[in-house]
Amino acid sequence: MSALETLAAVNGNIGAIGYGLAAIGPGIGVGIIFGNGVQAIARQPEASGLIRQNMLLGFAVVEALALIGFVVPFILPKG
């Protein structure tokens, strides 16, 4: 059996693998947001309210991106 036949024989939903790879980006993004947010609060404690507000807003945007990446494979038609 050649490699092309083996590749053609793979069946199932590749969307799960795609979402697993797509979840890496938001995971890194959340780590960067909170890591830099904690550093900023440590450097300027008097601005902690504004920093925390912006940090949580950024977190919400990144998590929305992760949820969109989770939903899209289920919405797109299987070809």
Side-chain angles (χ1 to χ4, degrees):
M1 185 180 263
S2 71
L4 187 58
E5 291 173 354
T6 304
L7 182 63
V10 174
N11 57 4
N13 191 359
I14 196 91
I17 295 171
Y19 175 66
L21 293 174
I24 294 171
I28 293 170
V30 168
I32 290 172
I33 288 170
F34 283 108
N36 289 338
V38 169
Q39 283 184 4
I41 291 173
R43 289 174 188 247
Q44 291 188 336
E46 67 275 3
S48 64
L50 180 62
I51 294 169
R52 186 176 299 117
Q53 179 183 2
N54 289 335
M55 190 170 54
L56 292 176
L57 180 64
F59 171 73
V61 171
V62 169
E63 283 301 314
L65 178 66
L67 290 174
I68 289 171
F70 179 68
V71 172
V72 167
F74 294 110
I75 294 174
L76 293 177
K78 295 178 183 172

